[in-house]
Amino acid sequence: MNLLVVFIWLLIANVSYGEESPQLQALKQQYKRPDFIPFPADNPYSADKAQLGKMLFFDQRLSRHFNMTCATCHNPSLGWEDGVATAVGDINESLARHSPTLLNLAWGETFFWDGRAATLEEQIRGPVEAEVEMNMSLAEVVQRLNKVAGYREQFQKVFGESINETNILKAIATYERTLVSGTAPFDRWVDGDEGAISAQAKAGFELFNGKAGCSGCHTGWNFTDNQFHDIGLATDDLGRANITADPDHIHAFKTPGLRNIGQRMPYMHNGLSANMDAVLAHYISGGIPRTSRSALMKPVLLNQQELDQLKAFMATLDGEDKPVSLPILPI
Ligand code: HEC
Ligand code: HEC
């Protein structure tokens, strides 16, 4: 008798919640969050090193005119971006590209929109030394930091040696690797909580992976294939082709991850798309047809209901991130 009740209950439960096909379940698992942050063998994690990197990240003494920090353009309040179309530099001039988020870069394979840096350590030299950004040679940064007793002590404690260029890069890169987007409603759904996201968002997830073709490039838990594509945006920037001279890479840029995307407007390497509606309008059009445009880009017919579903899905990727506290800087 009891068994029969359980059997009937299972049958009902299956009808009401069990509509998920094995295919959908397998698809969801492709987006499962990783359990740990990967750190490279030649720059392993330590809490003190990450804390030192955080101080350097938020220290204006890394910029020539004491007027910028890394957070000027990678602001935690704005999804680690800066909220403007293209970044504003050291003497208020506009830079050519949009500041990308620093979230989830521990899983990155190349850095910058065109992938010209192979590691985070190598990347950091770029903004510090660029004349239009912080405009300081790393040698000068070492000199400045050496005048600060608190930094001399910190570097000794973390690296067992005095301040040098390599250690500065290692400390900042370690801090950057700790910047991981928080658990989002989407993650709870992947983990089996059916009520974590709406039916509209679930339909959006299926469109994202199906008819809308987004997962052709935005794949895996951070929604990027780490590859370079020309998606047919209006731009003069040669992108990846500047680095590889490969004609297939003309106007190709690194696929951005989509975590916390709601906090990161405007969008694209040049900030061309003011909001998500503009992004979706671009994908519906398929972008400018030209020889370098990715074969995955073509016009997609999506009606208003489907667009709303896609937007509802992407909104479930905004994590519940903890507020970031500012470090007390050494003097
Ligand atoms: C003036 C604004 C500005 C400042 C200051 C700045 N950045 Fe950036 N950052 C940018 C822009 C713009 C890009 C993209 C440039 C490109 O791709 O050519 C970028 C790219 C990056 C990337 C690559 C991200 C990716 O997805 O590949 C990292 C990492 C980064 N910056 C870290 C830092 C760190 C660390 C500092 C401080 C030492 C810093 N930035 C200072 C504007 C800035
Ligand atoms: C051919 C690969 C490809 C496909 C397909 C694709 N994307 Fe993208 N996506 C990219 C690349 C590359 C960029 C950056 C382009 C640039 O700035 O020039 C991007 C940018 C974005 C951005 C802006 C992210 C940011 O940080 O600025 C969003 C949002 C986005 N895509 C969503 C989607 C959605 C939704 C779909 C499906 C309708 C989709 N993408 C299909 C490769 C792709």
Side-chain angles (χ1 to χ4, degrees):
M1 185 64 191
N2 271 347
L3 265 181
L4 190 67
V5 171
V6 170
F7 179 73
I8 291 171
W9 180 82
L10 275 176
L11 213 64
I12 296 168
N14 211 29
V15 169
S16 49
Y17 323 114
E19 76 281 3
E20 220 166 69
S21 65
Q23 288 88 330
L24 178 56
Q25 279 174 15
L27 188 59
K28 281 163 73 173
Q29 291 317 304
Q30 291 174 17
Y31 294 92
K32 198 171 166 52
R33 288 177 73 89
D35 299 328
F36 62 92
I37 303 176
F39 287 88
D42 61 357
N43 188 15
Y45 173 80
S46 82
D48 285 339
K49 199 197 288 178
Q51 184 59 24
L52 175 58
K54 182 176 184 179
M55 291 172 186
L56 297 166
F57 187 91
F58 286 100
D59 195 331
Q60 78 284 2
R61 286 171 288 192
L62 268 66
S63 72
R64 171 154 322 275
H65 300 113
F66 299 95
N67 61 349
M68 352 188 75
T69 72
C70 304
T72 306
C73 304
H74 304 286
N75 182 338
S77 309
L78 299 168
W80 300 89
E81 296 188 5
D82 53 14
V84 291
T86 60
V88 179
D90 179 40
I91 48 166
N92 263 349
E93 71 285 42
S94 275
L95 307 192
R97 292 181 182 161
H98 177 70
S99 303
T101 185
L102 300 191
L103 288 170
N104 307 330
L105 291 184
W107 291 266
E109 293 173 9
T110 57
F111 303 93
F112 287 119
W113 283 103
D114 50 21
R116 65 187 182 277
T119 63
L120 279 176
E121 285 78 355
E122 179 188 332
Q123 189 282 329
I124 296 159
R125 192 179 283 274
V128 176
E129 297 197 334
E131 244 171 74
V132 291
E133 296 183 52
M134 299 164 99
N135 193 12
M136 282 278 275
S137 73
L138 269 174
E140 289 170 290
V141 175
V142 172
Q143 277 174 15
R144 265 200 198 166
L145 297 184
N146 255 323
K147 297 193 183 122
V148 183
Y151 271 130
R152 289 200 302 272
E153 281 162 32
Q154 290 286 332
F155 276 84
Q156 271 301 337
K157 187 168 141 196
V158 170
F159 295 102
E161 48 186 58
S162 53
I163 304 174
N164 62 42
E165 296 183 18
T166 308
N167 292 344
I168 292 171
L169 302 178
K170 282 186 168 176
I172 300 177
T174 301
Y175 175 59
E176 288 179 302
R177 292 190 177 99
T178 67
L179 308 177
V180 181
S181 56
T183 307
F186 174 74
D187 299 309
R188 287 200 295 278
W189 180 56
V190 167
D191 283 343
D193 177 357
E194 281 306 315
I197 70 172
S198 66
Q200 190 188 33
K202 290 175 196 175
F205 176 72
E206 300 217 38
L207 281 170
F208 187 92
N209 288 283
K211 182 174 158 189
C214 315
S215 64
C217 307
H218 296 281
T219 51
W221 82 279
N222 192 32
F223 295 88
T224 171
D225 56 2
N226 290 303
Q227 299 299 309
F228 303 88
H229 309 275
D230 171 12
I231 63 166
L233 287 172
T235 183
D236 296 332
D237 192 329
L238 289 181
R240 182 72 174 157
N242 278 327
I243 315 302
T244 62
D246 179 341
D248 285 344
H249 286 155
I250 293 175
H251 309 310
F253 295 87
K254 190 174 70 173
T255 308
L258 299 181
R259 291 278 174 172
N260 294 23
I261 192 71
Q263 301 160 7
R264 293 169 30 205
M265 292 177 280
Y267 301 115
M268 306 301 180
H269 73 274
N270 50 5
L272 198 64
S273 307
N275 52 38
M276 194 54 79
D277 289 326
V279 169
L280 292 174
H282 172 77
Y283 283 114
I284 291 177
S285 79
I288 301 167
R290 54 191 176 207
T291 45
S292 56
R293 188 183 66 171
S294 163
L296 296 170
M297 291 295 300
K298 47 184 180 303
V300 241
L301 277 176
L302 296 170
N303 61 33
Q304 191 56 48
Q305 187 193 4
E306 291 169 322
L307 291 174
D308 290 341
Q309 290 169 340
L310 267 178
K311 280 206 297 189
F313 158 61
M314 281 187 279
T316 70
L317 301 180
D318 288 344
E320 284 129 20
D321 295 29
K322 294 194 193 78
V324 175
S325 61
L326 291 175
I328 305 290
L329 296 181
I331 46 169

